[in-house]
């Protein structure tokens, strides 16, 4: 039977965090991958497929990273259960590919030995061999393979030809014979002894760690310089969000305006014309224009993650975060929450201490997620002039940085209060593997950005478009009675909702238009911008005013109102998706209700104080 006609091969990638497993997965599958959840749990699964040079089809599963098959977190439990064949509906892989970092074998050999003890067909992908060579680490691969009793192939996942030996091994051998199974997994002492024996037999280490990494760590982990570097990195990220994105945003804005003009000229005046221009284009266009800023934010997060800096930032911040009632392990989930609170909350599964995990879940929605960015960008663009400060800094970027700092400050306060009133007597020792520094692979960064673009566009298609169409309907019907004064939207269902909510939000300076936008904003915060675009498009005689929303609100809103709305969104109640994931992770409706009510009250009081102070100073 030829390779091309052979049955598809099902393989699973297993490995420690930071071993290059995901980079290898990206190299093998490229864009032919999808992300979903395992049945009944919130742990993500990444699956893809590829063809070997001989034409064999391979289905590959990227399992969550784990240090051991003795699971201590939900992510590790998924990997353990799949390796044991305990996940209903998930077939046992034909082959396990255990990915190991060649520069850190003393840590990765433990998992290799545990997986070998299961007696499943497996091979080892010895990754980052180029980095090992630069560090003068000598690995006798044939000897190591004989000692382990499993095939070993060398890989460099960041290179275009870095998987050639792995693909050749799959074509040549297919599924290797399994190693003999053991009655039970080796205990910790036996694993430790076997690891040292393997290292002594096949690996020569010139020094415990790389001198270059040590030299960099001496600076980035320094009590003073480390804090300066971290603050400067975050500051640069928020400056770039405004400075770098402007040309792309202008191009998208011009394209949306041109499309609106073309549709307006093509269709006669009527409900369909209004739906497409004042509903779909006004709502979607107002949100789509902020995609470049969101991608720049993700670009920084991906680069920091791929470079090996994020675990160091977590270790560095541990001493400060413990004082606020968190731990260094909270840093990466909270940083992820700057992109979206949903994966940030899911990432808290790596926090072993239950109290620390709960505190991180509670404060994660206070991190300024990318969905708030369109609201911030709209209001900053409307009320903050585009000018330089000291010839180097962008004033709009400074304001944006201040809003992010405000969210962090509230998170620290709430975490401290939780520590004060719910003290924890457990220890908070932080144990993290610090991977070697590496240049981020452009391919992995581009794949990550493309994934985020697809997620954003999917939200546009599945959430924002339906909500803007619904809002257009609510804003257009019923028609105003004969002789009614004012815009027709005032007499619509949306106008009734806005005026009904206005007494609650009037003390904050919010008009009925803002009240209307807050409601669909609960589904996804960026929808608030699209809702404002639709509301103002239907409120104005000129149908093109939706394309100039920033100028419109700057003319009709006061500065205290704009500042009040910014303060509201710093703390704003979470979107529905975040509520769902908090309920799943905590298994508590009571806790979810307490967080939602607490954030609503805090947002309302914050906006009230800001509005009153701004009025007094104005």
């Amino acid at each position: 039977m030829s390779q091309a006609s052979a049955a598809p091969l099902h393989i699973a990638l297993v490995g420690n965090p930071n071993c290059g497993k995901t980079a290898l997965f990206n190299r093998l599958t490229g864009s032919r991958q999808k992300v979903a959840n395992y049945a009944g749990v919130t742990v993500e699964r990444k699956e893809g497929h590829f063809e070997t040079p001989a034409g064999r089809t391979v289905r590959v599963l990227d399992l969550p990273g784990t240090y051991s098959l003795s699971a201590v977190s939900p992510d590790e439990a998924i990997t353990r259960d799949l390796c044991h064949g305990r996940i209903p509906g998930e077939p046992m892989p034909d082959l396990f590919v255990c990915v190991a970092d060649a520069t850190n074998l003393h840590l990765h050999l433990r998992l290799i030995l545990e997986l070998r003890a299961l007696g499943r067909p497996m091979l080892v992908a010895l990754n980052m061999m180029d980095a090992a060579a630069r560090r003068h680490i000598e690995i006798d691969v044939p000897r190591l393979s004989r000692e382990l009793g499993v095939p070993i192939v060398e890989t460099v996942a960041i290179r275009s030809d870095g998987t050639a030996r792995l693909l050749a091994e799959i074509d040549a051998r297919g599924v290797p014979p399994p190693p003999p199974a053991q009655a039970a997994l080796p205990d910790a002492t036996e694993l430790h002894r076997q690891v040292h024996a393997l290292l002594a037999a096949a690996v020569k280490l010139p020094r415990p760690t790389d001198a270059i990494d040590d030299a960099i760590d001496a600076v980035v982990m320094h009590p003073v310089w480390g804090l300066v570097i971290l603050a400067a990195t975050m500051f640069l990220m928020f400056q770039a969000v405004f400075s770098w994105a402007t040309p792309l945003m202008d191009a998208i804005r011009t394209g949306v305006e041109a499309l609106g003009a073309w549709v307006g000229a093509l269709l006669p005046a009527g409900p369909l014309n209004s739906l497409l221009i004042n509903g779909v284009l006004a709502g979607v266009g107002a949100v789509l224009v902020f995609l470049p800023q969101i991608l720049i934010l993700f670009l920084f997060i991906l680069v920091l993650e791929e470079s090996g800096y994020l675990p160091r930032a977590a270790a560095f911040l541990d001493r400060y975060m413990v004082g606020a009632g968190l731990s260094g392990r909270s840093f990466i989930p909270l940083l992820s929450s700057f992109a979206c609170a949903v994966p940030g909350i899911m990432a808290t599964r790596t926090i072993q201490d239950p109290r620390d995990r709960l505190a991180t879940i509670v404060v994660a929605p206070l991190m300024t997620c990318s969905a708030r960015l369109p609201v911030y960008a709209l209001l900053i663009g409307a009320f903050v002039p585009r000018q330089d400060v000291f010839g180097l800094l962008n004033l709009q970027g400074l304001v944006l940085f201040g809003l992010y700092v405000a969210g962090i400050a509230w998170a620290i306060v709430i975490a401290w209060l939780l520590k004060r009133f719910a003290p924890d007597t457990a220890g908070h020792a932080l144990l993290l593997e610090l991977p070697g520094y590496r240049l981020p692979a452009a391919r992995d960064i581009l794949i990550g950005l493309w994934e985020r673009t697809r997620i954003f566009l999917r939200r546009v298609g599945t959430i924002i478009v339906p909500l803007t169409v619904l809002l257009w309907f609510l804003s257009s019907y019923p028609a105003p009675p004969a002789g009614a004064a004012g815009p027709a939207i005032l007499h619509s269902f949306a106008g009734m909702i806005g005026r009904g909510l206005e007494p609650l939000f009037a003390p904050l300076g919010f008009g009925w238009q803002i009240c209307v936008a807050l409601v669909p904003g609960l589904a996804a915060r960026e929808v608030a911008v699209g809702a404002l675009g639709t509301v103002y498009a239907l409120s104005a005689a000129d149908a093109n005013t939706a394309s100039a929303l920033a100028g419109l609100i700057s003319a009709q809103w006061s500065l205290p109102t704009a500042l009040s709305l910014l303060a509201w969104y710093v703390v704003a109640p979470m979107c529905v998706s975040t509520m769902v994931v908090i309920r799943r992770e905590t298994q508590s409706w009571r806790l979810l209700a307490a967080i939602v009510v607490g954030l609503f009250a805090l947002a309302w009081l914050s906006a009230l104080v800001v509005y009153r102070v701004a009025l007094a100073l104005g």
Side-chain angles (χ1 to χ4, degrees):
M1 182 183 294
S2 67
Q3 291 281 6
S5 62
L9 182 66
H10 178 201
I11 70 175
L13 302 182
V14 190
N16 293 11
N18 305 310
C19 68
K21 177 172 57 65
T22 298
L24 184 64
F25 176 79
N26 289 338
R27 175 64 60 188
L28 290 170
T29 62
S31 60
R32 300 174 299 278
Q33 54 182 257
K34 60 182 180 180
V35 179
N37 282 357
Y38 287 94
V41 296
T42 54
V43 178
E44 282 189 351
R45 59 182 304 227
K46 294 183 70 175
E47 179 184 325
H49 66 274
F50 63 92
E51 284 191 359
T52 66
R56 184 165 193 180
T57 300
V58 180
R59 173 177 173 250
V60 56
L61 192 63
D62 183 13
L63 297 182
T66 181
Y67 291 105
S68 169
L69 294 182
S70 300
V72 295
S73 71
D75 277 25
E76 293 179 342
I78 285 292
T79 299
R80 176 202 62 199
D81 290 345
L82 191 140
C83 291
H84 284 278
R86 299 172 184 166
I87 298 184
E90 184 66 49
M92 176 65 70
D94 302 314
L95 173 66
F96 286 99
V97 177
C98 194
V99 186
D101 180 355
T103 68
N104 200 7
L105 271 179
H106 71 280
L107 183 65
H108 294 251
L109 279 172
R110 172 193 169 109
L111 181 61
I112 294 173
L113 291 170
E114 287 188 278
L115 190 62
R116 185 189 67 171
L118 299 181
R120 309 285 187 188
M122 66 174 290
L123 62 83
V124 174
L126 203 54
N127 199 32
M128 303 186 194
M129 287 297 291
D130 57 335
R134 288 196 301 270
R135 300 182 185 198
H136 306 290
I137 298 174
E138 300 177 16
I139 303 175
D140 187 341
V141 175
R143 174 72 182 275
L144 185 60
S145 178
R146 289 195 303 270
E147 295 288 337
L148 283 170
V150 298
I152 297 179
V153 294
E154 300 177 25
T155 61
V156 182
I158 63 173
R159 291 183 182 173
S160 58
D161 61 345
T163 59
R165 295 185 182 182
L166 175 60
L167 297 176
E169 180 74 17
I170 293 174
D171 275 335
R173 283 216 236 189
V175 178
Q182 298 183 14
L185 290 176
D187 60 26
T189 302
E190 175 61 16
L191 281 175
H192 187 70
R193 187 195 65 77
Q194 291 182 24
V195 167
H196 275 272
L198 290 167
L199 291 173
V203 181
K204 287 186 179 180
L205 298 173
R207 59 181 72 88
T209 56
D210 186 74
I212 297 177
D213 286 358
D214 287 345
I216 298 175
D217 281 344
V219 179
V220 300
M221 303 291 286
H222 189 273
V224 176
W225 293 114
L227 196 60
V228 171
I229 291 171
L230 180 61
T233 302
M234 298 295 104
F235 184 78
L236 174 63
M237 179 168 67
F238 301 129
Q239 284 283 306
V241 164
F242 266 97
S243 301
W244 298 358
T246 300
L248 293 173
M249 293 176 67
D250 290 342
I252 294 175
R253 188 177 292 110
T254 300
V256 172
E257 291 175 359
L259 181 60
W262 179 77
V263 172
L266 185 67
L267 296 176
L272 181 59
N273 181 295
S274 177
L275 170 62
L276 293 178
I277 296 178
N278 298 326
V280 176
L281 287 179
V284 173
V287 175
L288 195 62
V289 72
F290 299 106
L291 176 60
Q293 292 180 319
I294 293 171
L295 291 182
I296 289 173
L297 180 66
F298 277 111
L299 172 64
F300 273 86
I301 293 176
L302 288 171
V303 168
L304 292 174
E305 183 178 13
E306 290 290 318
S307 67
Y309 177 71
L310 282 189
R312 288 170 169 83
F316 172 78
L317 288 174
D318 184 59
R319 72 193 79 172
Y320 304 104
M321 300 184 76
V322 166
L326 299 169
S327 77
R329 287 191 180 274
S330 302
F331 173 72
I332 294 179
L334 293 180
L335 184 65
S336 300
S337 298
F338 281 127
C340 178
V342 170
I345 292 170
M346 291 167 62
T348 63
R349 295 189 301 265
T350 62
I351 302 174
Q352 299 176 14
D353 185 272
R355 186 208 161 279
D356 285 352
R357 181 169 183 254
L358 179 59
T360 307
I361 289 174
V362 171
V363 302
L366 290 166
M367 300 298 103
T368 301
C369 64
S370 59
R372 288 180 181 136
L373 194 54
V375 180
Y376 287 173
L378 173 66
L379 297 178
I380 291 173
F383 290 92
V384 178
R386 185 184 298 178
Q387 65 184 47
D388 293 336
V389 178
F390 305 121
L392 296 173
L393 306 177
N394 183 293
L395 180 59
Q396 293 180 329
L398 282 173
V399 174
L400 180 65
F401 180 70
L403 292 171
Y404 276 77
V405 170
I408 294 171
W410 272 122
I412 292 173
V413 169
I414 292 176
W416 182 83
L417 290 174
L418 287 174
K419 178 183 178 181
R420 177 78 177 263
F421 294 104
D424 182 21
T425 57
H428 290 270
L430 177 65
L431 297 176
L432 284 178
E433 176 197 356
L434 297 183
Y437 289 102
R438 55 185 180 268
L439 289 175
R443 177 187 177 89
D444 292 337
I445 299 298
L446 290 176
I447 288 176
L449 291 177
W450 171 239
E451 278 297 313
R452 296 303 173 183
T453 302
R454 289 202 306 180
I455 291 171
F456 180 84
L457 294 179
R458 192 182 305 125
R459 285 170 67 89
V460 169
T462 60
I463 297 177
I464 297 176
V465 168
L467 284 176
T468 53
V469 170
L470 175 61
L471 185 61
W472 171 85
F473 174 81
L474 294 176
S475 302
S476 301
Y477 297 97
I489 191 174
L490 279 173
H491 305 278
S492 68
F493 294 120
M496 299 174 193
I497 294 172
R499 290 196 304 274
L501 292 175
E502 197 169 14
L504 177 62
F505 291 99
L508 316 183
F510 296 178
W512 65 269
Q513 297 97 331
I514 298 177
C515 296
V516 171
L518 291 179
V519 176
L522 288 174
R525 284 163 174 155
E526 64 268 41
V527 178
V529 174
L532 285 172
T534 298
V535 168
Y536 276 104
L538 291 171
S539 301
D542 181 6
N544 290 323
T545 50
S547 64
L549 183 59
L552 195 64
I553 65 174
S554 65
Q556 296 192 16
W557 295 6
S558 67
L559 179 60
T561 293
L563 295 176
S564 176
L565 188 57
L566 285 174
W568 169 270
Y569 268 101
V570 166
V571 191
M574 64 199 75
C575 64
V576 173
S577 298
T578 306
M579 296 180 193
V580 170
V581 78
I582 288 179
R583 170 64 182 84
R584 286 181 180 176
E585 293 292 331
T586 63
Q587 297 295 307
S588 172
W589 286 107
R590 181 179 299 178
L591 179 62
L592 173 61
I595 295 174
V596 172
V597 172
L599 287 181
F600 182 90
L602 185 59
W604 195 91
L605 290 172
S606 300
L608 177 66
V609 170
V610 168
Y611 182 65
R612 296 302 174 185
V613 170
L615 284 177
L617 296 178

